[in-house]
Amino acid sequence: MEAVLIDEYNYPLPDERIAKYPLTQRDQSKLLVWRPGKSEGTGESADGSIDQYHFFNLSEQIPAGSMIVFNNTKVIQARLHFRKPTGGVVEVFCLEPESPKDYQLNFASEGECIWTCLVGNSKKWKEGSLSLSVTMPDGKAVTLCCERAGELGASQKIRFYWEGKYSFAQLLDAMGELPIPPYLNRETEESDKKTYQTVYSKIQGSVAAPTAGLHYTPEVLDALVRNGCSLQYLTLHVGAGTFKPVKSETIEGHDMHTEFISVPRQVIENILAFKLGSSMSREANTPHSSLLTPHSLLIATGTTSVRTLESLYYIGEKLYEDPTLEGEELIVHQWEPYDQPHTLSLEDALQAILTHLDQTHQDALVTATQILIAPGFQFRLVDAIVTNFHMPQSTLLLLVSAFVDGDSLVGPNWHQIYEYALGHDFRFLSYGDSSLLFRK
């Protein structure tokens, strides 16, 4: 797997195919539905089938009683523009909290906090502190100051401090700018504050949206519930690393980014029950539990949900072997799924997490994941994915290939899907159209 050649995951993407803005109505976007072909020996083609719909048709394409998993992270206004007395602008891009480490505690901080940040035009900031003043919604003026607090490779520790009874979250809302993807090649606009958030976003922390979720509307969610689907929510805070291109010749040379995850205990219980197909899973799907069928699937909305869900197995495996592990010891590293045989059952892995949460009196699993899903990966939880169309030579495209091509290191199916999308005027990347992919 580590020898996967990234050049094999390239395709021509003209700039005009990149959606610079979303559609006015989210669920009017196109939906490509790919289903795998028949197995060898059946006398039928092994190629997958492709159909085209609109996103508001999603519930009609999903088996009744399925479980849909969403990432409820919320994009923060992470870009802060400080102006020097000489007039020069220094951009401080908040990546993740350093002190307090906990996202919610950091956002609730009053007076000071420290973040890991990227600093633009850093040469213009030789020493001292920078400041930024704004009038808050209550009419009071507040000044946010920042100073360097240490180097972290390409990023820096930045200490923010201010006076007044305002939380850091309030200051970001008042002073920050929403960080839209760099490939849109435009400035953030007021409309992005709404359109670059999912309708179910809740937990602040991302610097990029989980874009597959941007297509959902309350009407689509209601239609899924009417179809007996169970809607489950977890959190992965998307980092700036999601835009990091693979520059190495093979995937072995790529350093995958690490991202915060939080999965409520109840969600893990529901997933375990659903996968077991027990009466517990029917209770988890109320009030339409009678619609649960043998064909019901666990469907992840977006690659961030996929990475979080598939990380659960490896976290459970760690806890099964050593129940005393906690915090950073539970982080799933990028090569972990490939470094040895993994024979533990999914049931035992998920149960090990639940036992750990019981023993530590926690209501959610909170850790991080660096998992890299590429051709050769064994999927253990996810049966189908709702996802957008991704950049050439990206880890997101590698994940799609791993899902639709099985063990093939250079499978034909992702090519088929992307050639169809390019040939049928689908819009690409964050504000583009989407696909529903079933596992090979």
Side-chain angles (χ1 to χ4, degrees):
M1 194 286 302
E2 296 176 8
V4 168
L5 293 171
I6 195 61
D7 279 347
E8 301 286 355
Y9 297 87
N10 199 6
Y11 69 91
L13 179 59
D15 183 69
E16 61 268 20
R17 303 308 298 275
I18 299 173
K20 301 299 192 295
Y21 295 90
L23 298 180
T24 303
Q25 183 65 18
R26 294 173 185 247
D27 59 12
Q28 292 289 329
S29 57
K30 290 184 180 181
L31 176 67
L32 181 154
V33 179
W34 181 86
R35 291 179 172 85
K38 301 294 183 180
S39 301
E40 293 182 10
T42 63
E44 298 183 48
S45 171
D47 292 337
S49 66
I50 294 178
D51 297 292
Q52 182 176 327
Y53 303 92
H54 286 93
F55 199 80
F56 58 73
N57 300 125
L58 179 66
S59 65
E60 303 161 15
Q61 303 305 314
I62 289 176
S66 291
M67 176 176 283
I68 323 291
V69 181
F70 303 87
N71 181 6
N72 64 3
T73 188
K74 188 172 186 177
V75 186
I76 62 173
Q77 297 187 182
R79 294 185 187 274
L80 293 164
H81 295 97
F82 292 87
R83 188 172 295 277
K84 298 182 61 181
T86 56
V89 175
V90 175
E91 180 185 281
V92 178
F93 190 146
C94 297
L95 295 178
E96 60 184 23
E98 184 66 28
S99 178
K101 277 277 191 185
D102 180 88
Y103 276 85
Q104 299 312 308
L105 290 177
N106 195 296
F107 284 128
S109 296
E110 295 182 358
E112 71 171 289
C113 61
I114 298 175
W115 277 67
T116 299
C117 301
L118 294 175
V119 179
N121 292 331
S122 59
K123 291 182 180 179
K124 295 183 179 180
W125 183 17
K126 290 184 169 59
E127 59 184 15
S129 62
L130 301 174
S131 62
L132 174 62
S133 298
V134 72
T135 300
M136 300 297 286
D138 62 5
K140 296 181 180 179
V142 63
T143 299
L144 176 66
C145 301
C146 71
E147 62 184 15
R148 289 189 176 94
E151 300 285 338
L152 288 170
S155 56
Q156 299 183 36
K157 290 183 183 180
I158 301 295
R159 174 179 173 258
F160 298 98
Y161 56 99
W162 63 97
E163 294 183 356
K165 291 293 184 179
Y166 300 104
S167 68
F168 189 61
Q170 288 175 303
L171 296 184
L172 286 181
D173 285 343
M175 301 178 177
E177 177 186 291
L178 198 77
I180 60 174
Y183 48 67
L184 295 184
N185 292 319
R186 64 174 177 82
E187 297 295 322
T188 300
E189 300 179 14
E190 186 65 25
S191 61
D192 292 308
K193 291 182 180 180
K194 181 177 181 180
T195 59
Y196 198 59
Q197 301 279 13
T198 64
V199 296
Y200 48 80
S201 64
K202 182 178 181 182
I203 310 298
Q204 288 185 311
S206 278
V207 299
T211 54
L214 297 180
H215 305 275
Y216 287 88
T217 60
E219 292 77 15
V220 170
L221 296 173
D222 288 345
L224 290 170
V225 172
R226 289 195 301 272
N227 195 31
C229 292
S230 170
L231 311 185
Q232 304 292 320
Y233 297 90
L234 46 73
T235 306
L236 180 145
H237 288 325
V238 188
T242 193
F243 301 118
K244 182 180 178 182
V246 180
K247 294 183 177 181
S248 54
E249 183 177 341
T250 66
I251 194 63
E252 181 180 17
H254 183 71
D255 185 22
M256 193 68 176
H257 51 288
T258 303
E259 294 169 314
F260 167 96
I261 61 173
S262 176
V263 186
R265 186 190 200 286
Q266 186 64 59
V267 171
I268 299 172
E269 286 182 347
N270 292 347
I271 291 171
L272 175 57
F274 182 86
K275 282 294 184 178
L276 289 175
S278 68
S279 59
M280 290 174 60
S281 68
R282 296 182 183 278
E283 293 173 2
N285 282 268
T286 55
H288 302 287
S289 59
S290 61
L291 293 178
L292 184 67
T293 76
H295 303 292
S296 300
L297 303 174
L298 192 154
I299 302 170
T301 294
T303 58
T304 60
S305 296
V306 175
R307 294 179 65 237
T308 305
L309 288 167
E310 294 297 331
S311 293
L312 292 179
Y313 173 83
Y314 300 98
I315 295 169
E317 186 180 52
K318 292 174 189 282
L319 289 169
Y320 186 87
E321 296 172 356
D322 185 354
T324 66
L325 297 178
E326 58 184 351
E328 294 186 356
E329 296 173 318
L330 298 178
I331 294 175
V332 180
H333 300 289
Q334 70 180 65
W335 303 122
E336 208 164 317
Y338 313 96
D339 62 7
Q340 65 183 39
H342 299 276
T343 58
L344 187 68
S345 70
L346 176 61
E347 178 184 357
D348 285 342
L350 295 180
Q351 189 57 60
I353 297 175
L354 294 174
T355 300
H356 167 76
L357 294 178
D358 285 342
Q359 293 175 344
T360 54
H361 307 291
Q362 299 178 78
D363 59 7
L365 171 70
V366 178
T367 181
T369 185
Q370 191 193 20
I371 194 169
L372 172 62
I373 298 179
F377 182 86
Q378 180 182 353
F379 288 87
R380 299 174 187 273
L381 284 89
V382 180
D383 302 310
I385 303 174
V386 175
T387 189
N388 284 15
F389 297 96
H390 305 294
M391 273 283 197
Q393 298 183 308
S394 65
T395 57
L396 305 181
L397 184 55
L398 288 173
L399 185 153
V400 168
S401 177
F403 194 78
V404 299
D405 289 310
D407 293 332
S408 172
L409 293 184
V410 186
N413 294 316
W414 82 262
H415 286 285
Q416 178 194 19
I417 292 165
Y418 275 63
E419 286 173 3
Y420 182 97
L422 286 167
H424 290 77
D425 296 324
F426 277 70
R427 303 160 74 244
F428 278 61
L429 306 186
S430 296
Y431 274 145
D433 296 313
S434 67
S435 61
L436 170 62
L437 311 174
F438 294 91
R439 194 165 79 189
K440 182 175 176 63

